[in-house]
């Protein structure tokens, strides 16, 4: 348990085959790779975040989605714990997922400097109850729904900053959609 001893989970240089679900259940968890060209996780792993103060840095996630299957495929990152606080995702490459980020009911989200490619749904969706969200300097290409979606669906999103992102070739919905 890296977070018990105040250490990071380090993923070294290499290509790792891993599919399924990784549940992040402990607060103060940090997962860091050797860089998005050097640490590559392929197979469609999905991170389910059930904790506060969680950070991810410097690796690539290569999924296997080839079409949109909402009941089967997951997002690369999802928040499941209601009212968690503190999520930083920086310098990741996410390719061939249903959705890059599907984040709900969380305070203090920072999505910075990532590249998201070839999703069959949203590149990033701040869905219901996100407060203090910061989305900056990400590069999105070929998303199959909204590239960046703010969808309050019953619980308002508040204090969201979206700036200096690049959006190319969304092929179904909008570059930025606010609902």
């Amino acid at each position: 348990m890296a977070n018990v001893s105040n250490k990071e989970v380090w993923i070294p240089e290499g290509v790792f085959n891993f599919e399924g679900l990784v549940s992040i259940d402990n607060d103060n968890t940090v997962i860091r790779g050797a860089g998005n060209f050097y640490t590559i996780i392929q197979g469609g792993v999905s991170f389910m975040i059930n904790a506060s103060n969680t950070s991810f840095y410097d690796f690539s996630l290569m999924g296997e989605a080839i079409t949109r299957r909402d009941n089967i495929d997951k997002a690369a990152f999802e928040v499941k714990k209601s009212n968690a606080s503190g999520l930083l995702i920086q310098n990741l490459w996410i390719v061939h997922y249903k959705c890059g980020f599907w984040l709900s009911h969380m305070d203090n989200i920072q999505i910075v400097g990532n590249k998201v490619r070839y999703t069959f749904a949203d590149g990033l969706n701040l869905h219901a109850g996100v407060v203090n969200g910061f989305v900056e300097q990400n590069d999105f290409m070929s998303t199959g729904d909204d590239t960046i979606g703010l969808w309050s669906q019953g619980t308002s999103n508040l204090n969201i900053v979206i700036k200096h992102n690049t959006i190319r070739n969304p092929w179904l919905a909008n570059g930025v959609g606010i609902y």
Side-chain angles (χ1 to χ4, degrees), residues 3-178:
N3 64 333
V4 173
S5 59
N6 293 321
K7 295 186 179 178
E8 296 182 356
V9 175
W10 167 251
I11 306 171
E13 182 176 335
V15 177
F16 304 93
N17 295 308
F18 193 86
E19 62 181 75
L21 186 66
V22 174
S23 184
I24 306 296
D25 297 314
N26 297 312
D27 291 348
N28 305 311
T29 298
V30 177
I31 299 176
R32 186 182 305 270
N36 52 36
F37 288 113
Y38 303 104
T39 301
I40 300 168
I41 303 170
Q42 59 188 22
V45 66
S46 179
F47 289 94
M48 293 295 185
I49 301 160
N50 300 305
S52 292
N53 301 318
T54 306
S55 303
F56 300 86
Y57 302 93
D58 304 322
F59 57 90
S60 291
L61 294 172
M62 300 298 168
E64 296 182 337
I66 56 171
T67 188
R68 184 170 178 170
R69 302 177 304 172
D70 286 338
N71 294 328
I72 297 171
D73 295 320
K74 301 290 183 201
F77 290 90
E78 293 188 37
V79 171
K80 289 298 182 186
K81 179 180 179 182
S82 194
N83 301 316
S85 178
L87 172 64
L88 172 60
I89 301 175
Q90 184 173 340
N91 196 33
L92 300 188
W93 276 31
I94 299 170
V95 181
H96 281 288
Y97 276 81
K98 176 182 80 174
C99 178
F101 308 94
W102 188 272
L103 310 173
S104 305
H105 301 287
M106 188 167 205
D107 183 20
N108 190 21
I109 290 176
Q110 297 178 61
I111 308 297
V112 181
N114 302 288
K115 291 179 175 35
V116 179
R117 306 278 188 267
Y118 311 114
T119 61
F120 290 89
D122 298 338
L124 176 139
N125 193 305
L126 301 181
H127 172 250
V130 174
V131 178
N132 301 316
F134 187 73
V135 179
E136 182 178 31
Q137 294 184 0
N138 299 287
D139 188 298
F140 297 92
M141 186 173 77
S142 296
T143 57
D145 206 335
D146 294 317
T147 301
I148 298 173
L150 303 177
W151 183 19
S152 291
Q153 193 181 27
T155 306
S156 295
N157 293 323
L158 300 169
N159 194 27
I160 308 297
V161 175
I162 298 171
K163 66 180 189 174
H164 305 297
N165 295 283
T166 300
I167 297 171
R168 291 175 284 166
N169 305 325
W171 52 269
L172 182 58
N174 300 297
V176 177
I178 301 172

